[in-house]
Short mmCIF file of all heavy atoms in Angstrom, two decimals:
data_model
loop_
_atom_site.label_atom_id
_atom_site.label_comp_id
_atom_site.label_asym_id
_atom_site.label_seq_id
_atom_site.Cartn_x
_atom_site.Cartn_y
_atom_site.Cartn_z
N ALA O 39 90.92 159.50 71.25
CA ALA O 39 92.05 158.95 72.01
C ALA O 39 92.33 159.79 73.23
O ALA O 39 91.93 160.95 73.34
CB ALA O 39 93.29 158.91 71.12
N CYS O 40 93.03 159.16 74.16
CA CYS O 40 93.53 159.85 75.33
C CYS O 40 94.85 160.52 74.95
O CYS O 40 95.70 159.91 74.29
CB CYS O 40 93.77 158.85 76.45
SG CYS O 40 94.42 159.62 77.94
N LEU O 41 95.01 161.76 75.35
CA LEU O 41 96.20 162.51 74.98
C LEU O 41 97.25 162.58 76.09
O LEU O 41 98.27 163.24 75.92
CB LEU O 41 95.81 163.94 74.55
CG LEU O 41 94.85 163.99 73.36
CD1 LEU O 41 94.53 165.44 73.02
CD2 LEU O 41 95.44 163.28 72.15
N ILE O 42 97.02 161.89 77.20
CA ILE O 42 98.04 161.84 78.24
C ILE O 42 99.25 161.10 77.65
O ILE O 42 99.08 160.04 77.04
CB ILE O 42 97.53 161.09 79.50
CG1 ILE O 42 96.28 161.78 80.07
CG2 ILE O 42 98.62 160.98 80.56
CD1 ILE O 42 96.48 163.17 80.58
N GLY O 44 101.87 158.71 76.47
CA GLY O 44 102.02 157.27 76.61
C GLY O 44 100.70 156.52 76.54
O GLY O 44 100.70 155.31 76.29
N HIS O 45 99.58 157.16 76.78
CA HIS O 45 98.29 156.46 76.80
C HIS O 45 97.83 156.06 75.40
O HIS O 45 97.33 154.97 75.21
CB HIS O 45 97.23 157.32 77.49
CG HIS O 45 97.47 157.47 78.96
ND1 HIS O 45 96.46 157.66 79.86
CD2 HIS O 45 98.62 157.46 79.69
CE1 HIS O 45 96.96 157.76 81.08
NE2 HIS O 45 98.27 157.65 80.99
N PHE O 46 98.01 156.96 74.44
CA PHE O 46 97.65 156.63 73.06
C PHE O 46 98.44 155.39 72.63
O PHE O 46 97.87 154.43 72.10
CB PHE O 46 97.95 157.81 72.14
CG PHE O 46 97.63 157.56 70.70
CD1 PHE O 46 96.39 157.89 70.19
CD2 PHE O 46 98.58 157.01 69.85
CE1 PHE O 46 96.09 157.66 68.85
CE2 PHE O 46 98.29 156.78 68.51
CZ PHE O 46 97.05 157.10 68.02
N MET O 50 94.85 153.50 74.47
CA MET O 50 93.65 154.23 74.89
C MET O 50 93.11 155.02 73.70
O MET O 50 93.17 156.24 73.64
CB MET O 50 93.95 155.17 76.07
CG MET O 50 94.16 154.43 77.36
SD MET O 50 94.38 155.54 78.75
CE MET O 50 92.71 156.14 78.96
CU1 LIG Z 1 94.67 157.87 79.20
#
Side-chain angles (χ1 to χ4, degrees):
C40 179
L41 300 180
I42 301 296
H45 291 209
F46 180 91
M50 287 185 73

